[in-house]
Amino acid sequence: NAGVTQTPKFQVLKTGQSMTLQCAQDMNHNSMYWYRQDPGMGLRLIYYSASEGTTDKGEVPNGYNVSRLNKREFSLRLESAAPSQTSVYFCASTMNTEAFFGQGTRLTVV
Amino acid sequence: GNSVTQMEGPVTLSEEAFLTINCTYTATGYPSLFWYVQYPGEGLQLLLKATKADDKGSNKGFEATYRKETTSFHLEKGSVQVSDSAVYFCALSDRSNTGKLIFGQGTTLQVKP
């Protein structure tokens, strides 16, 4: 069981560069999420998708865009990376009340 | 708005000690409450949950009771092991059916042999 798969696991960007974080789940879940994890702040929701074809902003959406490509895939794009976006990013999907998380992408913006 | 507050860590215990990690919440209505655990280098995993007042969630020797009167969901374990060393997150989900989670800041637990 792959569950939720994120790529890449690590990435270093220069300020102003763009990149897309990929996420795929094989559990046939309708809802998917992107969170960022910062020291002392827990996880904060960036964007979520309640179903294929819909996306909504979370708590900290500025500087990000998302695409729900199909039911399996939900990508997060940084158009112009900033040092404040240095963080660990987690993708998740939910069934009923339980969330399943990927292993995370550690992103450093220099 | 909704929020979750956890006790600050790190918490350092000896093996077989009793563990309590405090969690309180602020929410409108009746949220569902969760504890997630993050082992080093991994994503979060659901440890236990409770969906209504007075429910007790339990798993792997951990327990937490949904206390509406004190808006709390404290995590307890009677005898911790070295393998319990991890970061523990308290979280809530409102009743909007979006599945969105609001997390506390996390508490690092280190258990020494």
Side-chain angles (χ1 to χ4, degrees):
Chain A
N1 284 341
V4 179
T5 303
Q6 291 182 233
T7 55
K9 287 188 168 50
F10 301 94
Q11 184 71 49
V12 178
L13 291 179
K14 294 182 178 179
T15 297
Q17 286 186 317
S18 62
M19 79 161 294
T20 300
L21 282 64
Q22 306 289 350
C23 174
Q25 52 93 8
D26 61 1
M27 297 173 284
N28 203 36
H29 292 167
N30 286 323
S31 300
M32 297 185 72
Y33 311 81
W34 277 104
Y35 292 89
R36 60 178 287 173
Q37 182 182 21
D38 301 293
M41 303 188 74
L43 280 74
R44 292 178 294 168
L45 183 64
I46 304 171
Y47 270 94
Y48 68 102
S49 171
S51 62
E52 185 179 352
T54 68
T55 61
D56 285 286
K57 295 179 180 179
E59 181 184 354
V60 288
N62 291 345
Y64 305 95
N65 285 300
V66 290
S67 295
R68 183 74 182 267
L69 305 170
N70 48 54
K71 192 170 187 179
R72 291 186 65 248
E73 298 172 290
F74 188 39
S75 61
L76 178 72
R77 183 161 179 82
L78 287 71
E79 290 290 352
S80 179
S84 60
Q85 294 178 305
T86 293
S87 187
V88 181
Y89 292 84
F90 287 100
C91 178
S93 65
T94 56
M95 180 177 75
N96 297 324
T97 57
E98 180 173 355
F100 296 81
F101 286 82
Q103 291 198 314
T105 297
R106 185 172 294 275
L107 175 67
T108 302
V109 183
V110 297
Chain B
N2 297 342
S3 66
V4 176
T5 302
Q6 288 179 237
M7 62 185 287
E8 289 191 20
V11 174
T12 303
L13 295 173
S14 297
E15 206 164 23
E16 299 184 2
F18 185 85
L19 169 70
T20 299
I21 300 178
N22 289 339
C23 171
T24 58
Y25 67 90
T26 301
T28 53
Y30 302 95
S32 294
L33 301 174
F34 307 85
W35 278 100
Y36 280 84
V37 59
Q38 183 181 30
Y39 298 104
E42 298 185 10
L44 281 71
Q45 304 172 26
L46 179 65
L47 181 60
L48 53 84
K49 68 180 181 183
T51 58
K52 61 182 188 297
D54 300 325
D55 267 3
K56 177 185 283 188
S58 61
N59 186 26
K60 300 181 181 179
F62 291 90
E63 293 183 339
T65 301
Y66 190 142
R67 301 286 189 200
K68 180 172 172 289
E69 63 276 14
T70 55
T71 62
S72 65
F73 193 54
H74 305 320
L75 183 68
E76 297 182 335
K77 187 174 185 183
S79 176
V80 293
Q81 305 300 313
V82 172
S83 57
D84 294 326
S85 298
V87 182
Y88 292 82
F89 292 93
C90 185
L92 71 80
S93 176
D94 64 24
R95 298 291 185 179
S96 64
N97 288 325
T98 62
K100 295 185 293 182
L101 291 168
I102 295 171
F103 287 89
Q105 66 267 44
T107 302
T108 299
L109 170 65
Q110 183 177 17
V111 181
K112 297 188 173 180

